[in-house]
Amino acid sequence: MAAFLASKASMAGLSAKPVHRARVASARAAPARLASRRGPLQVSAKKTEGGPIVAIAGVTGAVGQEFLTVLSQRDFPYGEMKMLSSARSAGKKFEWEGETYTIEELTEESLEGVDIALFSAGGSISKKFGPVCMEKGVIMVDNSSAFRMTEGVPLVIPEVNPEAMAHVRWGKGKGQKGAIIANPNCSTIIALMAVTPIHKKATVKRMVVSTYQAASGAGAAAMAELETQMREVLDGKPPTTTIFGRQYAFNLFSHNSGVDLATGYNEEELKLVKETAKIWNTKDVAITATCVRVPTMRAHAESINLELVDELSEADAKEILSKAPGITIVDDRVKNDFPTPLGVSNKDNVHVGRIRQDISQKGQRGIELFVCGDQIRKGAAQNAVQIAEALL
C-alpha cells in the first residue's frame, strides 16, 4: 500500500499488460468471445489489508469488465471487492484474481460498508443510487452523464484538472463523507487529453472537433451486433439491426444520440461543448463539434482544429505534447503513419498525430491534430480508476 501511495502522483497511463478479463459463468457468447482475445497472462491487483472496500456497479457490461482489467493492471490496492449488477445477473458466479465471486443485485443494502463505488450502469441507475452513496458515505465515481453538469460535482480527467477533486478523499472508516465524482464523456476525455497541454501554453480561442466513434460507446451489445452484422452482410444476409435500427457494418452515420430540433446539434456534440467548458472552468472558448458513429470496435478518432490566442509553432506543439502525461505521439510523415483506432485499442495512452499548422489561419495561431483513444479504457474505465487512485 505504501509503495502504491508513494507512486500514485503520476497520473500518466501505465503500459498495458495482457490480462484475462473476469468471466461471468453465463455471459453472452459475443462479449465472451471478445474478452477471450486478451492474452495468456494473469496480473493480480493488490488485495491489501486495510484497503478500501470497492464495489463495481454494472460489472457485467463492457466498461464494468474493463474496470476489473484496469484495476488488475494498475495493481489497485483494495480490501474487499463487491460485484454488483441488475437483478437479472444476480447469483451468477464470477471469477476474478483467483477468487470466485457471486454477483449481487445493486440495492441500497448492497452498498452498505462500501468505500468507493465505480458505476457504469446507466444514467437512470446512477441518479437513483447517487443520493444513496452520499447518505452511506460512499464515494461514487460515475461513468454516466447523470451528474456531469451538476453544480458541485467534480468532472475530472486526472491529467487535466485533478484540483477539481482535491477536497474528496477516502476517509478509511465511519467518518468518510459520501461524494460523487463524474467521469467526462469519452469523446471529451480523448480530446482534452491532447488539447489541454496546448491550451495551457497558447490559450485556445476556438476548437472545432469532428469525432469518429466506435461501437463500444454504445456498449457490449452494440459491439456484438457490429460483429454479427459484418458476418451477415458478407454472407449476403439482411443485417440484424436491434441496437441502432440500421446497418452499421460497412457504414457510418450521425451519432445515434437525440438531436436538438432547434439547433440541429445532437446530445453527444453538446456534451463535448458543455463538459469542456466545465473542465477548463471557462466560457471564453468557442467550441463546436460533429459526432459520427463509424464501424470500428472500441476506439474513437477525432479531428481537432484549434484557433489560438497566442502564436504556437508546429515544433513547439510537438514538444509540448511529447512531454504531456498520457500522450503518445504517432506522427511519421515519411511513412504516412498516424494514429488509428486499431493501433490504440487496449492502450492506456491517447495517440496524437497529424500535428501541423493550420494554413487557413494567419501567423501561427492555428494547430491541427488527429487523435485516437480507447473509448472503453481511457475514455471510461481507466479514467475512473485513476480517479479512485487519487482518492487514496
Side-chain angles (χ1 to χ4, degrees):
M1 183 79 164
F4 173 86
L5 294 175
S7 64
K8 80 179 185 72
S10 172
M11 290 297 183
L14 303 179
S15 296
K17 297 175 280 185
V19 61
H20 281 307
R21 295 174 81 169
R23 310 221 178 220
V24 182
S26 59
R28 287 173 296 183
R33 286 199 303 272
L34 294 170
S36 70
R37 296 170 185 166
R38 290 282 169 241
L41 299 182
Q42 180 76 30
V43 182
S44 294
K46 292 182 179 179
K47 189 167 186 179
T48 306
E49 186 176 353
I53 298 173
V54 178
I56 308 297
V59 72
T60 58
V63 175
Q65 290 281 284
E66 197 74 12
F67 279 148
L68 296 176
T69 299
V70 175
L71 288 167
S72 290
Q73 292 178 337
R74 296 180 73 89
D75 292 334
F76 186 89
Y78 65 96
E80 296 178 32
M81 188 69 64
K82 300 188 74 174
M83 310 296 186
L84 308 178
S85 193
S86 65
R88 185 175 63 252
S89 297
K92 294 177 181 177
K93 300 298 181 182
F94 199 95
E95 292 184 8
W96 184 67
E97 299 302 330
E99 294 189 38
T100 299
Y101 292 86
T102 300
I103 297 176
E104 300 176 49
E105 181 181 357
L106 174 59
T107 62
E108 293 188 19
E109 291 72 25
S110 66
L111 291 168
E112 199 69 49
V114 170
D115 295 311
I116 300 170
L118 304 180
F119 266 71
S120 188
S124 61
I125 299 298
S126 292
K127 286 179 181 178
K128 177 180 178 180
F129 286 98
V132 175
C133 288
M134 294 286 288
E135 181 183 340
K136 293 183 178 293
V138 180
I139 300 174
M140 169 196 268
V141 183
D142 183 43
N143 192 56
S144 80
S145 61
F147 302 107
R148 287 176 186 155
M149 300 310 298
T150 301
E151 187 174 353
V153 173
L155 183 64
V156 177
I157 306 170
E159 297 91 339
V160 172
N161 64 329
E163 69 282 354
M165 58 169 289
H167 62 290
V168 185
R169 286 293 180 268
W170 169 49
K172 198 176 182 180
K174 295 181 179 179
Q176 173 174 299
K177 294 182 179 179
I180 299 170
I181 302 172
N183 234 17
N185 192 41
C186 48
S187 55
T188 305
I189 293 174
I190 292 165
L192 296 195
M193 283 290 293
V195 176
T196 300
I198 293 173
H199 178 58
K200 289 180 177 179
K201 177 67 177 179
T203 308
V204 173
K205 180 179 179 181
R206 184 170 187 260
M207 178 167 71
V208 180
V209 183
S210 297
T211 72
Y212 312 92
Q213 298 184 218
S216 57
M223 296 169 75
E225 182 164 290
L226 175 57
E227 189 173 354
T228 298
Q229 280 196 12
M230 291 285 189
R231 292 192 177 95
E232 290 171 337
V233 172
L234 288 172
D235 288 342
K237 300 176 181 177
T240 301
T241 57
T242 305
I243 305 301
F244 296 114
R246 67 178 78 195
Q247 182 175 322
Y248 188 13
F250 309 105
N251 192 22
L252 55 83
F253 46 86
S254 181
H255 193 277
N256 49 289
S257 55
V259 178
D260 183 297
L261 299 182
T263 65
Y265 281 80
N266 62 44
E267 292 174 8
E268 190 79 359
E269 293 156 356
L270 293 175
K271 286 177 186 177
L272 201 155
V273 172
K274 294 175 182 178
E275 290 175 19
T276 299
K278 180 173 180 177
I279 292 166
W280 281 355
N281 192 28
T282 181
K283 295 182 180 179
D284 295 334
V285 180
I287 305 165
T288 188
T290 299
C291 296
V292 174
R293 188 73 75 185
V294 299
T296 53
M297 195 57 74
R298 60 171 287 154
H300 292 351
E302 304 185 19
S303 172
I304 302 174
N305 176 276
L306 302 175
E307 181 182 349
L308 307 174
V309 173
D310 302 316
E311 290 200 346
L312 183 72
S313 70
E314 175 189 305
D316 287 343
K318 287 183 178 178
E319 178 70 13
I320 290 166
L321 289 167
S322 71
K323 296 177 179 178
I327 293 294
T328 297
I329 293 180
V330 182
D331 197 73
D332 189 332
R333 294 177 181 176
V334 173
K335 295 181 179 179
N336 198 11
D337 185 27
F338 303 104
T340 66
L342 191 59
V344 81
S345 292
N346 300 303
K347 301 288 178 60
D348 287 348
N349 283 7
V350 170
H351 290 190
V352 183
R354 300 300 313 279
I355 305 165
R356 62 202 190 277
Q357 217 80 55
D358 177 358
I359 61 174
S360 73
Q361 298 190 46
K362 294 181 180 180
Q364 294 183 325
R365 287 190 168 84
I367 291 290
E368 298 265 15
L369 306 172
F370 188 70
V371 180
C372 288
D374 189 311
Q375 180 274 327
I376 302 178
R377 202 169 182 87
K378 182 55 187 172
Q382 178 186 320
N383 199 76
V385 172
Q386 287 177 287
I387 289 171
E389 290 172 350
L391 296 171
L392 304 183

